[in-house]
Amino acid sequence: MIPVNTPLLSGNEKKYLLECIETGWISSEGPFIKKFEEQFAAYVDRKYGIAVSNGSAALDIAFKALEIEEGAEVIAPTFTIISPIQSIITAGLKPVLVDSDIQTWNMDVTQIESKITSKTKAILVVHIYGLPVDMDPIFALCEKYNLFLIEDAAEMHGQTYKGRKCGSFGTISTFSFYPNKHITTGEGGMIVTNDEHLNDRCQKLRNLAFEPKGRRFVHEEIGWNYRMTNMQAALGLAQLEKIEEHIRIKREIGRLYQEGLKEIQGFQLPTPQTDYADNIYWVFGLIADSQPLCEATVKKLSDQQIGTRPFFWCMHEQPVFIKMGLFLNESYPVAEKMARNGFYLPSGLGLDNVDINNVMSYFV
Ligand SMILES: Cc1ncc(COP(=O)(O)O)c(C=O)c1O
């Protein structure tokens, strides 16, 4: 079996975890938390890092921390995991969707301005699968219309846009450390920002909105217990020490697939680079020319014990949102094609060359 993901835990993970057990620091109160927050925030060129229980929790906190007035609109990609869209909705805001760009698989930035209304208060960018969103047009729109920028960088640890780190762009930016990410904490996430007030808000919201001053157990607002444990942070710190090696491995996996699959017919491969970034290959995706070809390929790979994942399913086609009366009769043809015809190959850091050759041998 070649699983779609295998993490790589080859550094100080065991040593740091043992330290947690030996010292008894296993909750969110241990010393690895602060170290991981500081070092990760510094790595992505931010002042503050707030470690949380997962990347979805980071997004819940991010949207609530901004205190945007209820009913305001947030421009967002339809092609994404559900996490940021459900965070927008649970913060009492309205997602307004845009289609994707078929070359980068990210939101089509040329479609954003036509969606801006007097109610728009923020743009959500989600960097998808390996290439960042083209940020310059978004910076210009945020400036022109005075909008917040929320950056979901869950898949982009270490990636850069024009030489600047992904995760350094949003009013608030978020990461995930699920085991299929470039670095993992098992489950985990991080919010990063340069804004002291937002840092305070995020710290508070992840901790049941306990008031930093005043009597304990008296609350002015509702938050969550979205704390990360010291054990997760211990893993994260060990992984962060290896991040450049992990990125190098991911790019090598991407290069081998690109080289081995360049002649195949009927599939679009990822774009290796744009004029602003080299693909970091969080996953190696393929878009088949047709849905039957996609389904048949996934089935044949599965019969040979090769794991794949389908691409995200568009937000405007999610039964849960349609039941809520959202996105009715909306259509985003590029994203719909990607969702129906796209899947990704085993792309984990633990993959070796034999596995990659086995996967590719199916196609030739
Ligand atoms: C773009 C994006 N945002 C958010 C998340 C959610 O992260 P988590 O699984 O840690 O909740 C993911 C997870 O893969 C993701 O890819």
Side-chain angles (χ1 to χ4, degrees):
M1 172 73 193
I2 305 178
V4 74
N5 176 57
T6 29
L8 187 61
L9 305 163
S10 61
N12 283 320
E13 289 83 359
K14 216 172 179 175
K15 179 173 165 226
Y16 294 166
L17 274 176
L18 204 60
E19 218 174 294
C20 297
I21 292 164
E22 283 170 354
T23 58
W25 285 115
I26 55 171
S27 74
S28 59
E29 299 259 329
F32 282 118
I33 296 279
K34 201 162 180 329
K35 273 192 207 161
F36 183 43
E37 286 177 338
E38 284 177 0
Q39 291 184 26
F40 188 78
Y43 178 74
V44 295
D45 297 326
R46 303 309 294 249
K47 266 196 193 154
Y48 305 105
I50 303 100
V52 292
S53 47
N54 55 67
S56 307
L59 286 156
D60 278 348
I61 293 177
F63 280 99
K64 190 155 181 210
L66 289 167
E67 297 179 282
I68 301 172
E69 74 229 32
E70 242 186 271
E73 293 174 0
V74 181
I75 312 272
T78 188
F79 187 82
T80 170
I81 195 166
I82 197 169
S83 308
I85 307 304
Q86 70 180 31
S87 298
I88 292 171
I89 293 169
T90 52
L93 309 172
K94 184 172 175 240
V96 173
L97 303 176
V98 296
D99 204 352
S100 306
D101 173 306
I102 195 61
Q103 289 313 316
T104 64
W105 304 346
N106 283 307
M107 72 200 293
D108 180 349
V109 296
T110 64
Q111 296 187 18
I112 297 175
E113 191 160 17
S114 66
K115 301 273 176 148
I116 295 178
T117 71
S118 58
K119 289 189 180 164
T120 309
K121 289 287 176 284
I123 299 177
L124 162 79
V125 300
V126 185
H127 307 296
I128 304 276
Y129 295 162
L131 281 173
V133 174
D134 187 6
M135 294 304 299
D136 278 345
I138 292 181
F139 296 146
L141 291 173
C142 287
E143 177 89 24
K144 182 169 169 190
Y145 294 97
N146 193 24
L147 306 175
F148 290 121
L149 174 58
I150 296 95
E151 181 189 11
D152 182 348
E155 306 172 359
M156 271 326 104
H157 318 69
Q159 177 59 298
T160 56
Y161 171 81
K162 297 192 174 171
R164 292 163 61 196
K165 283 266 164 61
C166 290
S168 68
F169 303 126
T171 319
I172 297 189
S173 305
T174 61
F175 287 88
S176 162
F177 303 119
Y178 189 73
N180 59 5
K181 301 304 188 298
H182 292 89
I183 62 168
T184 184
T185 58
E187 297 282 351
M190 183 91 75
I191 305 155
V192 291
T193 181
N194 289 338
D195 184 311
E196 189 181 354
H197 170 69
L198 287 175
N199 175 44
D200 292 345
R201 294 255 328 125
C202 293
Q203 304 250 13
K204 182 176 159 184
L205 289 168
R206 84 168 157 188
N207 190 23
L208 291 171
F210 276 113
E211 293 296 331
K213 294 183 191 122
R215 192 192 183 286
R216 186 117 174 131
F217 303 114
V218 177
H219 300 262
E220 300 282 348
E221 70 177 314
I222 283 174
W224 297 272
N225 176 355
Y226 279 166
R227 301 184 298 255
M228 177 183 271
T229 69
N230 197 50
M231 294 181 289
Q232 290 166 293
L235 271 182
L237 203 65
Q239 290 267 296
L240 188 56
E241 290 166 359
K242 293 268 187 170
I243 191 164
E244 297 306 336
E245 186 188 329
H246 288 195
I247 292 168
R248 188 191 55 69
I249 293 171
K250 280 283 195 180
R251 286 206 162 114
E252 179 60 9
I253 294 171
R255 193 189 66 75
L256 289 169
Y257 275 139
Q258 289 280 10
E259 186 57 31
L261 298 176
K262 67 179 182 222
E263 307 289 350
I264 60 164
Q265 301 292 310
F267 298 90
Q268 179 189 338
L269 305 186
T271 301
Q273 71 228 127
T274 63
D275 57 1
Y276 55 75
D278 291 335
N279 204 314
I280 203 168
Y281 298 109
W282 172 56
V283 293
F284 195 91
L286 297 174
I287 301 178
D289 285 349
S290 71
Q291 195 171 357
L293 176 61
C294 172
E295 284 164 7
T297 310
V298 164
K299 170 145 192 339
K300 282 191 197 149
L301 286 165
S302 162
D303 290 346
Q304 293 182 34
Q305 306 285 303
I306 297 170
T308 60
R309 277 279 182 289
F311 271 15
F312 295 137
W313 194 249
C314 298
M315 292 302 112
H316 67 282
E317 297 194 296
Q318 294 289 344
V320 60
F321 295 146
I322 292 166
K323 276 186 257 170
M324 292 165 79
L326 288 166
F327 318 131
L328 300 180
N329 304 316
E330 294 184 21
S331 164
Y332 301 97
V334 177
E336 285 164 22
K337 178 183 171 198
M338 285 164 52
R340 282 165 178 69
N341 299 5
F343 64 98
Y344 59 85
L345 298 174
S347 309
L349 286 157
L351 212 59
D352 62 26
N353 286 12
V354 177
D355 294 332
I356 295 171
N357 284 328
N358 279 337
V359 174
M360 292 193 303
S361 66
Y362 161 76
F363 290 93
V364 287

